[in-house]
Amino acid sequence: MAPTCLRPLLRYRSFAILFLTPLLLLPLPVAVPTPEAKCAYIIIIMAVYWCTEVIPLAVTSLMPVVFFPLLGVQSSKSVCLQYLNDTNMLFVGGLIVAISVEQWNLHKRIALRVLLILGVKPALLMLGFMIVTAFLSMWISNTATTAMMVPIVQAVLDQMDNTEYDVTMMEQATGQTNTVIELEEKNASDPTSVHVISNGQVPDDPRSSEEKKMRKRICKGMTLCVCYAASIGGTATLTGTGPNMVLKGQMNQLYPNNNDIVNFASWFGFAFPNMILMLVLAWLWLQCSFMGLNFKKSWGCGTERTAKEKAAYNVLKAEMKKLGPISYAEFNVLLMFVLLVLLWFSRHPGFVKGWATRLFPEGEKYITDSAPAVFIALLLFILPANKPKFIGWNPSLSDPEQTEEDIKKPFLSAPLLDWNVVQRKMPWSIVLLLGGGFALADASANSGLSAWLGHQMTPLGSIPPWAIATVLSLIIAVFTECTSNVATATLFLPVFSSMAASVKIHPLYVMLPGTLSASFAFMLPVATPPNAIVFSYGHIRVLDMVPGTINFPLTVVPGCFQWHPVYPAGCMWCRLIPLPWNGGACG
């Protein structure tokens, strides 16, 4: 609670930030009327608004459209082009496919099937929840994955608690009956012992309080594992979370001749092993923190299923039964999803020629990952949700009334996806937020602000590159706890690029760890929507989230990122990216 004297001032907090920030920073463009200073003026104001959220993040993202032209930093045409570029179209196409998966409950079917396969032992159940959540968040939004998984976790935990309560009551009832019989026999032989226990009541079992504490700890661990796995899983694919898309967009903005070095396949090759490592570490950490490492109890080595485990298995089985057999629409959506993944991986694998090069002249130059994403999205609005019916044309072979009714029906039913559903579920605010970040990066480069920042950071060249990457990752990991992940990446990645140029290291050496760190917001409920969803169920407190935090991403960077005059020909990440200080493409 704030002191009483400060409470009236808190009423005007938003008003003060909104209007005083531009006024206090106004001397910057007035005293230094250069494009760099004017661009910095707008970027600082937007950073303050993004951190404090005095107005919606998407609204703040629209500020460059107004103020860059007014201040003479860039033309309106140049600024507006950044709001729906190739990276944003990739993001929109991927989200439309994710919405179709959600619409037909395909993600729930996948989740329940995997959980039934893995089993319901405590350790395996947590691992199953984390694997399913991480896999789904690779393809659909972290928020939607968490919102779908937490009710399943809650239902399983409730059923386990109810079953344990029933078993305990039965044991107590049996125990009380036996105790009364023993007391009656003992009283017959020794009347003086009646006062020890009266009315047949048995003292409470001291283990009951310990069991309640253990149940609470398991409940906390099971719910926390979902939001942690959602944030970790989103880092594995390029479209899995916003910061990844920011990195791709910034690389295309700042290094336009990079030969599409950050694409779906290259990002997956780097981030998927890192995601597996982080998921295993998070699972072990949650096991130690909330369940302990009792292998016999947690893993069920050499033991049969308990009543609680059978109840949990029955809940999952009942939920799976409710879904029924896979429908025609689900099968079509699954087919489109698999086709999209295959198109992404095979477009430009790197070690062989992809389909873009083999099927189309200069396809590698013209086709990017956004083309297959939008193509599959278009098919979802065309393919029918129900199997088309072929009606015989001979009326004598069938019921005339039924034939007349069937002829009136259209051959193709409603499509797999409806635009109203997409319009309702599409996170348009993230699209605008990405566009605003790309506009800032473009203006920063063209105005000379990036070059000025890079020059100021030249003294950092004396620090080892690994130390720079470590410190920057920690800074972002702390900063992203209080700010949107996308906004954090948008603000820091252009600065990291300028710093890398000044200290002569590859920009991805610092931009990749920074991007991953922006997604690892585990400490606070407000840090990311999955944390807020889990926190809203009331099982955990803020203090429960802090000890289970893994703030720093353990990145395994393939290829050569150290500065030297000529990069080796075999480096996956830097053989084709021309940098200012090496004079051309590597390899």
Side-chain angles (χ1 to χ4, degrees):
M1 294 292 290
T4 307
C5 59
L6 295 180
R7 287 179 190 172
L9 298 177
L10 292 177
R11 293 178 55 200
Y12 304 100
R13 170 181 169 273
S14 297
F15 176 83
I17 293 172
L18 194 59
F19 291 100
L20 289 181
T21 302
L23 291 176
L24 293 175
L25 294 172
L26 191 59
L28 176 61
V30 173
V32 188
T34 60
E36 297 96 320
K38 293 174 182 177
C39 183
Y41 175 66
I42 299 300
I43 290 176
I44 296 172
I45 292 174
M46 291 180 66
V48 173
Y49 287 178
W50 271 335
C51 294
T52 56
E53 295 189 37
V54 289
I55 55 178
L57 298 177
V59 177
T60 304
S61 303
L62 295 173
M63 288 177 62
V65 179
V66 179
F67 293 105
F68 280 165
L70 289 179
L71 295 177
V73 178
Q74 271 191 317
S75 66
S76 296
K77 185 177 180 180
S78 301
V79 175
C80 293
L81 284 174
Q82 308 304 322
Y83 281 82
L84 209 58
N85 57 16
D86 175 70
T87 305
N88 258 335
M89 289 306 298
L90 170 61
F91 188 63
V92 169
L95 284 175
I96 290 176
V97 176
I99 289 170
S100 70
V101 172
E102 293 177 46
Q103 176 72 7
W104 292 102
N105 266 339
L106 184 60
H107 59 323
K108 189 172 184 180
R109 184 180 297 277
I110 295 170
L112 292 172
R113 176 59 61 192
V114 173
L115 289 172
L116 287 171
I117 291 171
L118 286 176
V120 290
K121 296 293 181 182
L124 289 176
L125 193 62
M126 175 183 280
L127 182 62
F129 284 139
M130 294 186 75
I131 289 174
V132 169
T133 306
F135 174 76
L136 292 175
S137 64
M138 288 166 58
W139 313 105
I140 64 178
S141 73
N142 301 351
T143 305
T145 303
T146 308
M148 186 271 295
M149 287 298 298
V150 173
I152 296 176
V153 175
Q154 186 66 39
V156 170
L157 292 174
D158 288 344
Q159 188 61 40
M160 290 171 69
D161 286 345
N162 292 338
T163 304
E164 185 176 9
Y165 177 77
D166 294 341
V167 171
T168 304
M169 291 299 292
M170 290 175 62
E171 289 176 352
Q172 285 184 354
T174 305
Q176 286 182 5
T177 303
N178 294 337
T179 303
V180 170
I181 294 172
E182 291 174 2
L183 286 173
E184 289 177 353
E185 293 175 352
K186 188 174 182 180
N187 290 341
S189 60
D190 188 8
T192 59
S193 63
V194 177
H195 69 278
V196 177
I197 299 177
S198 61
N199 300 326
Q201 296 294 325
V202 181
D204 290 339
D205 187 354
R207 293 176 300 172
S208 60
S209 60
E210 292 297 324
E211 289 175 359
K212 287 180 182 178
K213 289 180 182 178
M214 190 60 190
R215 282 201 303 272
K216 276 189 176 182
R217 292 173 68 84
I218 291 175
C219 194
K220 290 176 181 179
M222 290 289 186
T223 50
L224 275 178
C225 78
V226 173
C227 61
Y228 286 4
S231 296
I232 293 170
T235 63
T237 58
L238 196 56
T239 56
T241 188
N244 302 353
M245 300 302 297
V246 173
L247 173 67
K248 177 176 172 56
Q250 301 284 12
M251 288 299 295
N252 292 341
Q253 290 283 346
L254 302 171
Y255 306 99
N257 299 320
N258 63 30
N259 199 35
D260 198 25
I261 193 170
V262 180
N263 56 41
F264 192 90
S266 64
W267 177 268
F268 188 84
F270 158 71
F272 184 73
N274 184 76
M275 185 272 284
I276 296 294
L277 176 62
M278 291 300 300
L279 200 66
V280 171
L281 290 176
W283 174 66
L284 290 173
W285 187 272
L286 289 171
Q287 279 286 308
C288 295
S289 301
F290 295 101
M291 296 185 183
L293 290 177
N294 187 336
F295 286 96
K296 187 173 182 180
K297 188 174 182 181
S298 297
W299 290 86
C301 300
T303 60
E304 295 182 359
R305 280 184 183 172
T306 63
K308 288 195 301 179
E309 291 163 0
K310 290 178 181 177
Y313 186 83
N314 290 334
V315 168
L316 296 176
K317 206 169 180 179
E319 289 293 323
M320 190 70 183
K321 193 174 181 181
K322 287 179 187 176
L323 294 177
I326 187 167
S327 64
Y328 179 79
E330 284 181 88
F331 180 77
N332 272 350
V333 170
L334 179 61
L335 191 64
M336 291 297 102
F337 172 73
V338 173
L339 178 60
L340 175 59
V341 175
L342 291 176
L343 288 174
W344 270 339
F345 276 112
S346 59
R347 181 187 66 85
H348 181 50
F351 54 91
V352 293
K353 287 185 177 181
W355 59 265
T357 306
R358 291 181 179 274
L359 300 180
F360 301 95
E362 299 186 8
E364 187 177 340
K365 178 180 177 183
Y366 291 108
I367 300 173
T368 63
D369 285 330
S370 61
V374 176
F375 172 67
I376 297 298
L378 289 174
L379 288 181
L380 291 171
F381 289 98
I382 298 172
L383 295 176
N386 298 311
K387 188 181 293 186
K389 291 184 178 179
F390 295 91
I391 303 169
W393 292 100
N394 190 352
S396 62
L397 299 178
S398 58
D399 185 9
E401 293 183 2
Q402 185 67 30
T403 304
E404 184 73 22
E405 186 178 336
D406 289 339
I407 289 174
K408 289 181 180 178
K409 292 180 181 178
F411 175 67
L412 292 179
S413 64
L416 290 169
L417 205 54
D418 182 64
W419 178 251
N420 292 328
V421 176
V422 174
Q423 193 173 3
R424 187 174 68 251
K425 292 189 175 183
M426 176 71 73
W428 299 108
S429 59
I430 303 297
V431 177
L432 290 176
L433 190 57
L434 287 173
F438 300 151
L440 290 184
D442 188 55
S444 179
N446 293 333
S447 67
L449 179 62
S450 295
W452 181 83
L453 285 172
H455 182 70
Q456 303 304 311
M457 297 178 184
T458 305
L460 293 175
S462 59
I463 302 175
W466 64 266
I468 296 175
T470 302
V471 172
L472 295 181
S473 296
L474 289 172
I475 290 172
I476 284 198
V478 173
F479 198 82
T480 194
E481 298 292 343
C482 310
T483 315
S484 161
N485 300 352
V486 179
T488 302
T490 301
L491 289 173
F492 280 97
L493 290 187
V495 179
F496 291 175
S497 173
S498 303
M499 184 207 63
S502 66
V503 299
K504 299 295 186 297
I505 60 175
H506 197 286
L508 287 175
Y509 189 83
V510 289
M511 293 175 76
L512 279 173
T515 302
L516 295 179
S517 299
S519 296
F520 294 149
F522 299 145
M523 284 184 64
L524 300 175
V526 297
T528 187
N531 294 6
I533 291 171
V534 168
F535 188 79
S536 67
Y537 275 74
H539 296 302
I540 57 176
R541 303 170 299 166
V542 176
L543 292 178
D544 295 323
M545 301 185 76
V546 176
T549 297
I550 305 171
N551 272 333
F552 181 66
L554 301 176
T555 56
V556 183
V557 183
C560 175
F561 288 106
Q562 298 292 341
W563 156 247
H564 48 79
V566 180
Y567 290 104
C571 177
M572 178 179 72
W573 289 95
C574 53
R575 67 176 183 269
L576 292 171
I577 178 169
L579 297 173
W581 52 84
N582 71 345
C586 307

